[in-house]
Amino acid sequence: MSLSDRQNRILAFLNQAGGNLTSTELTDAFDVSVQTIRKDLNELSNQGLVQRVHGGITLPRQNRNLSFSNRQVINLDAKRSIAQAVADRLPEGASVFLGIGTTPQQVAQALLGHPGLQVVTNNLNVALTLCRNPNIETLIAGGRIRPADQDVMGEDTTRFLRRFQVNFGIFGIGGLSESGELMDFSLEESHLSRAILDCSDQRVLVADSSKYLRSAPIRTGLLDEVDLFVTDHLPEPVEALLRDKHTEVICTSGNETGESA
């Protein structure tokens, strides 16, 4: 099921508001009836994207990620713009990691017309997408398939990635904390993202604004370990964290680009 434009805006508003909103705030913000907002919130809750509480909604308190199919519909336009910004930066002949998640999948889609790359991935959708371009060499890791996440995981998977040293490591995260911590939902996800961070010349984080303040239990690293952060919206607390760092930021909503320093 796809999300309406208003439902995507509700999710963005919820993240910007720190994870809690009342029904009154939502009806005022979107100038619609209580019944209309209630229908939107029921649909978002049924998909596990929000948690209904008395008088409003909160971000769901999750120790597990949403299914891949549910994540595909969240902020899809934002993910596509992020993906195109990344694809525009990759030179011909580069070697690339593409990690787990729906935004790396969109990066793969944006790379379909690229003249040539070597891509290492454990993301099944990335591999299926890139095999449509014979000029892109795709290497896929072996391991245990996670049906709900549509990827491959495990010690063999992480060990395979650690055999490479690539030009660009492109990865997503489960959540981004207020203090700039990169959060994941499981240890094996964290180990895999850590391998990408450790084995890439340029580390590229792709994360739309719904990841800000999203709850995830495992700390993988810090935002200032990233060389390039591509997002659709940069919350002011995150911008403040990066002011004295050397992380380049591309914000696709305003076509802003520059080094946070």
Side-chain angles (χ1 to χ4, degrees):
M1 177 179 178
S2 61
L3 300 185
S4 68
D5 177 66
R6 186 174 56 246
Q7 289 169 344
N8 271 308
R9 288 162 59 203
I10 288 171
L11 292 176
F13 187 21
L14 180 60
N15 279 277
Q16 293 165 17
N20 296 277
L21 283 172
T22 67
S23 296
T24 301
E25 287 174 318
L26 288 164
T27 55
D28 290 346
F30 295 97
D31 193 25
V32 294
S33 68
V34 172
Q35 290 78 11
T36 297
I37 284 295
R38 184 179 296 122
K39 181 175 182 293
D40 283 333
L41 299 188
N42 284 340
E43 290 180 1
L44 291 171
S45 177
N46 289 340
Q47 295 191 60
L49 304 178
V50 303
Q51 181 175 337
R52 296 296 303 270
V53 295
H54 181 69
I57 54 170
T58 68
L59 288 170
R61 301 292 181 254
Q62 296 171 309
N63 288 325
R64 296 185 61 186
N65 205 354
L66 299 169
S67 70
F68 191 91
S69 58
N70 276 354
R71 283 180 281 143
Q72 279 182 311
V73 302
I74 301 174
N75 280 0
L76 181 57
D77 288 342
K79 291 173 182 178
R80 285 172 174 163
S81 65
I82 290 167
Q84 190 58 56
V86 173
D88 290 343
R89 294 290 293 264
L90 297 185
E92 183 175 354
S95 56
V96 179
F97 282 136
L98 273 176
I100 61 175
T102 57
T103 307
Q105 179 202 17
Q106 290 301 321
V107 173
Q109 188 68 40
L111 289 173
L112 263 180
H114 201 284
L117 296 168
Q118 182 186 66
V119 176
V120 184
T121 189
N122 71 314
N123 188 322
L124 296 176
N125 286 283
V126 165
L128 288 171
T129 298
L130 294 181
C131 71
R132 291 151 55 190
N133 183 344
N135 295 316
I136 297 178
E137 179 186 8
T138 305
L139 304 173
I140 187 166
R144 175 178 55 84
I145 291 177
R146 300 193 303 176
D149 298 283
Q150 299 180 26
D151 58 28
V152 181
M153 278 289 181
E155 291 183 9
D156 289 341
T157 311
T158 303
R159 191 179 300 116
F160 179 79
L161 263 63
R162 285 194 173 276
R163 294 174 64 183
F164 297 86
Q165 181 69 32
V166 304
N167 302 131
F168 298 92
I170 301 167
F171 69 104
I173 50 171
L176 177 63
S177 77
E178 191 171 14
S179 58
E181 294 172 318
L182 309 178
M183 310 300 294
D184 280 302
F185 283 95
S186 71
L187 283 172
E188 59 184 4
E189 289 177 355
S190 180
H191 292 326
L192 187 130
S193 293
R194 191 69 244 177
I196 293 176
L197 283 165
D198 292 343
C199 301
S200 303
D201 299 332
Q202 295 286 314
R203 303 159 170 180
V204 182
L205 172 63
V206 290
D208 69 87
S209 54
S210 70
K211 299 300 178 69
Y212 180 57
L213 297 183
R214 187 170 178 227
S215 177
I218 310 296
R219 189 177 80 165
T220 294
L222 295 170
L223 186 55
D224 60 14
E225 295 181 75
V226 173
D227 299 297
L228 174 63
F229 177 29
V230 188
T231 186
D232 61 316
H233 170 72
L234 194 64
E236 196 284 329
V238 179
E239 185 177 2
L241 280 173
L242 291 171
R243 280 178 190 147
D244 296 325
K245 309 301 181 185
H246 296 288
T247 300
E248 182 183 358
V249 177
I250 295 177
C251 186
T252 60
S253 61
N255 294 320
E256 299 172 13
T257 180
E259 189 173 275
S260 297

